[in-house]
Amino acid sequence: MQIRAPELADDTRLRPRLRFDAVRYVKDLAQAGTPFVRSHQPVRTKGAEHGERRLPLSEAASMLYEHLTERSKSDQALYEDIIQAGLGEPLAQWRMKAVIETLLVEYRIQVEPATLIHPLSQADSIFAETCGTGLIEDLYRLDDVEEVQVIGRHIFLLKGGRMERHTRMFGSLEDVLRLQDRLALCGKKPINERQPFVQSYMWNRSRLVMTRPPYSDVPSIHIRNFIVKDVTLGQLTGLGTINERMAQLLRLLVRHHASMLIGGGTATGKTTFLFALAAEIPEHERIRTLEKEFEVALRERLRGTRNILAVREVEDIRLSMEESFKPLLVMSPHWVIVGEAKGSEVAQMVQGALRGHDMMGTMHTKYRDSFLSDVVDMIKQDGRQHDTGDTMRRVARAFNILIFLRLVQVEGRPRRVVTEITELSVDEEQRVSVKPLVEWSYAKQTWSFTGNTLSRSLTDHLLANGADGRDFAKLGVWDACLGD
């Protein structure tokens, strides 16, 4: 079998390391005078060629793992390749699979077909068991898999908002613990009885969460893929997340600088929806993004010659999301986009919006009715004293539009649906106004525009940013008395 190098898109900006010479490594193996297998006896099976070892996957993987471990002690480049391959870095994985293939040929090892991880080849199966993520090596990479969960020995896949148990199963809890140890080593975050919970990230930015006793009753592994597809509002219309009228309203709101906050529960498509909105930002406008990890990746994925800078939280130097936010406001951004707001950084978003910067972000909230109070609760996490009424008014002035997503059962299948588009404002009597513009009918399973129109404060803001009231009037959200 020929191992082919992975084809990488030009804009990934990946560069292979030159220190590790796979060809020279193979020559070193051939010239090694010591036998590879010292304590293992070859297993003969019917049809095996003379001198060939036919071994079950577990034994073949154990032998090659022992060899690679010993070799990596004196070969730093090989050691780093093993670590990076474990996290999923494509070029490191390709090099390690080439080495494994060479070892199989050099030492005449054949893996018993019945023991392979179907549908992986023997080199891929051994890689999964020695450097990769074992039985889930190929599963978390599937295009439609949003999350892989290992709970004890069982494997579950989340697809389209629905969790299903896979037919594969780990042989024992010890196998899961060993995989945890390997992933923890690659991520440089140990997991043990004193540290039974770990959160890290794979090379492709998938979030990795692992637990073990005494924190959890059985060991668990969660790999959450942030499937931020390069979607447009038009494509979301085709998927049934919004309709065309809603898409046009959102385009106009983004184009004329309405600040937006997207909410919803787990796996409702908040980050993907955020990308679709960000794609509507005019190309000449400056964008700054803040995330836990670089998941949205606007600079790499949005077309054109855009001015985009991404920053993130850095736990190692105690640079929190809140502290990471502050420098963004002195960079003269048109837009500040927060991948997912979880705490007191929301206070910085509110402050930035009130000072004239347009905001776009997501947050996790289960119910639309508690959306506003959840934002206030996050602001209060900064430890300062906050008057609830004043804080709600500040939030209502900062975020013009709330967008709420849910997983809705439509014809027996889950669908990600925007169930509400709502305007926040503060009226003349200083009361917070919450006006739904679009609502989803769970009974009729369709949307309707409520007839509510945009407030004076928002229409003035939109007009100041070049809006034409007639475009909004066609959608029924513009009060003709406010004029153009």
Side-chain angles (χ1 to χ4, degrees):
M1 182 186 72
Q2 183 180 7
I3 303 292
R4 298 182 60 188
E7 296 179 0
L8 301 175
D10 293 339
D11 59 353
T12 57
R13 296 177 175 84
L14 292 175
R15 297 291 184 270
R17 288 201 308 272
L18 301 177
R19 291 185 299 137
F20 179 56
D21 188 337
V23 175
R24 183 172 180 178
Y25 178 66
V26 170
K27 290 180 179 179
D28 288 346
L29 290 176
Q31 294 173 1
T34 57
F36 171 52
V37 182
R38 294 188 178 93
S39 58
H40 303 277
Q41 294 297 321
V43 178
R44 304 292 185 187
T45 60
K46 185 177 180 180
E49 297 180 2
H50 178 69
E52 184 180 78
R53 299 177 177 89
R54 296 294 294 269
L55 304 173
L57 175 62
S58 59
E59 188 171 348
S62 177
M63 293 163 59
L64 268 66
Y65 180 76
E66 178 183 350
H67 174 88
L68 292 171
T69 301
E70 286 299 315
R71 177 78 187 208
S72 66
K73 291 178 181 178
S74 58
D75 190 329
Q76 182 64 24
L78 176 61
Y79 173 79
E80 292 183 10
D81 259 347
I82 292 173
I83 295 297
Q84 292 301 314
L87 294 176
E89 198 276 306
L91 292 174
Q93 288 201 332
W94 172 72
R95 288 192 289 265
M96 290 312 305
K97 290 177 183 179
V99 168
I100 289 170
E101 183 70 20
T102 300
L103 288 173
L104 290 171
V105 173
E106 182 71 22
Y107 296 103
R108 299 180 183 178
I109 296 175
Q110 287 289 329
V111 179
E112 290 285 358
T115 66
L116 293 174
I117 303 173
H118 181 76
L120 303 184
S121 67
Q122 64 175 1
D124 287 344
S125 294
I126 290 178
F127 170 83
E129 293 294 296
T130 56
C131 304
T133 52
L135 293 180
I136 60 176
E137 174 64 26
D138 58 325
L139 300 181
Y140 83 91
R141 301 169 185 279
L142 297 175
D143 292 339
D144 59 342
V145 170
E146 299 159 22
E147 186 168 356
V148 175
Q149 296 186 356
V150 177
I151 309 297
R153 297 170 55 208
H154 299 287
I155 299 172
F156 299 86
L157 303 183
L158 179 64
K159 297 181 179 181
R162 178 177 295 176
M163 187 70 74
E164 298 178 353
R165 195 164 90 175
H166 198 270
T167 54
R168 293 179 191 170
M169 182 186 300
F170 283 85
S172 66
L173 294 181
E174 287 71 24
D175 291 340
V176 181
L177 291 171
R178 279 192 291 270
L179 177 55
Q180 285 187 335
D181 290 337
R182 188 161 72 241
L183 291 173
L185 174 64
C186 294
K188 300 180 181 179
K189 288 190 175 183
I191 184 168
N192 48 51
E193 289 186 359
R194 293 186 178 181
Q195 181 70 36
F197 168 83
V198 168
Q199 178 174 322
S200 184
Y201 291 87
M202 306 295 285
W203 181 87
N204 66 351
R205 303 187 182 101
S206 297
R207 184 173 60 209
L208 170 65
V209 175
M210 298 188 292
T211 70
R212 65 169 53 178
Y215 174 70
S216 57
D217 60 339
V218 292
S220 72
I221 301 171
H222 305 71
I223 299 181
R224 171 70 173 170
N225 289 325
F226 293 94
I227 306 178
V228 185
K229 298 179 180 177
D230 294 351
V231 297
T232 63
L233 292 177
Q235 289 171 319
L236 290 176
T237 300
L239 293 171
T241 300
I242 53 177
N243 64 21
E244 180 52 43
R245 192 177 174 191
M246 296 163 67
Q248 182 59 20
L249 173 61
L250 293 169
R251 288 189 189 100
L252 291 170
L253 289 169
V254 173
R255 190 174 305 160
H256 301 297
H257 293 259
S259 290
M260 301 183 180
L261 196 56
I262 304 164
T266 301
T268 52
K270 299 183 294 296
T271 308
T272 296
F273 200 87
L274 176 66
F275 179 87
L277 290 177
E280 297 294 332
I281 295 175
E283 186 175 326
H284 67 276
E285 295 183 354
R286 300 177 296 278
I287 301 173
R288 300 293 178 262
T289 69
L290 171 64
E291 303 176 79
K292 287 279 187 181
E293 287 291 328
F294 298 134
E295 296 158 359
V296 181
L298 294 183
R299 187 163 56 84
E300 299 173 11
R301 301 168 62 195
L302 286 183
R303 296 178 180 178
T305 55
R306 294 177 178 266
N307 181 339
I308 302 175
L309 178 68
V311 302
R312 66 174 179 173
E313 176 184 69
V314 186
E315 293 181 355
D316 294 345
I317 59 174
R318 298 181 180 179
L319 189 61
S320 66
M321 288 281 282
E322 182 180 7
E323 292 302 316
S324 298
F325 189 100
K326 295 176 181 178
L328 296 179
L329 300 182
V330 298
M331 298 179 186
S332 303
H334 288 107
W335 289 91
V336 176
I337 298 177
V338 179
E340 182 176 4
K342 293 184 177 180
S344 56
E345 65 271 11
V346 176
Q348 298 297 324
M349 295 177 69
V350 170
Q351 183 174 339
L354 294 178
R355 289 183 177 179
H357 302 286
D358 299 306
M359 296 289 156
M360 196 181 288
T362 74
M363 61 172 283
H364 192 285
T365 182
K366 188 175 182 179
Y367 300 110
R368 216 301 285 142
D369 293 343
S370 64
F371 204 151
L372 186 56
S373 60
D374 287 345
V375 175
V376 173
D377 289 342
M378 288 185 182
I379 292 174
K380 291 182 177 180
Q381 291 180 26
D382 64 6
R384 302 182 182 94
Q385 293 293 326
H386 295 274
D387 176 79
T388 299
D390 180 64
T391 303
M392 283 195 172
R393 286 189 288 272
R394 286 172 57 83
V395 171
R397 290 189 177 101
F399 299 111
N400 307 117
I401 300 294
L402 300 183
I403 301 168
F404 192 73
L405 285 135
R406 262 190 175 167
L407 276 172
V408 177
Q409 293 292 324
V410 179
E411 298 179 352
R413 297 183 63 83
R415 184 205 296 177
R416 292 174 173 88
V417 173
V418 171
T419 57
E420 193 169 321
I421 300 176
T422 296
E423 184 200 357
L424 290 181
S425 62
V426 179
D427 64 21
E428 294 179 355
E429 297 180 4
Q430 299 302 299
R431 295 174 302 190
V432 174
S433 173
V434 181
K435 293 194 301 183
L437 303 174
V438 185
E439 291 181 323
W440 168 265
S441 170
Y442 291 93
K444 298 179 180 179
Q445 295 194 332
T446 189
W447 298 273
S448 63
F449 276 64
T450 63
N452 288 326
T453 57
L454 302 176
S455 66
R456 162 70 74 174
S457 60
L458 181 53
T459 56
D460 287 348
H461 176 75
L462 297 172
L463 289 171
N465 285 280
D468 185 335
R470 290 170 295 186
D471 294 331
F472 289 93
K474 293 176 183 177
L475 300 172
V477 297
W478 193 267
D479 188 344
C481 296
L482 298 179
D484 291 338

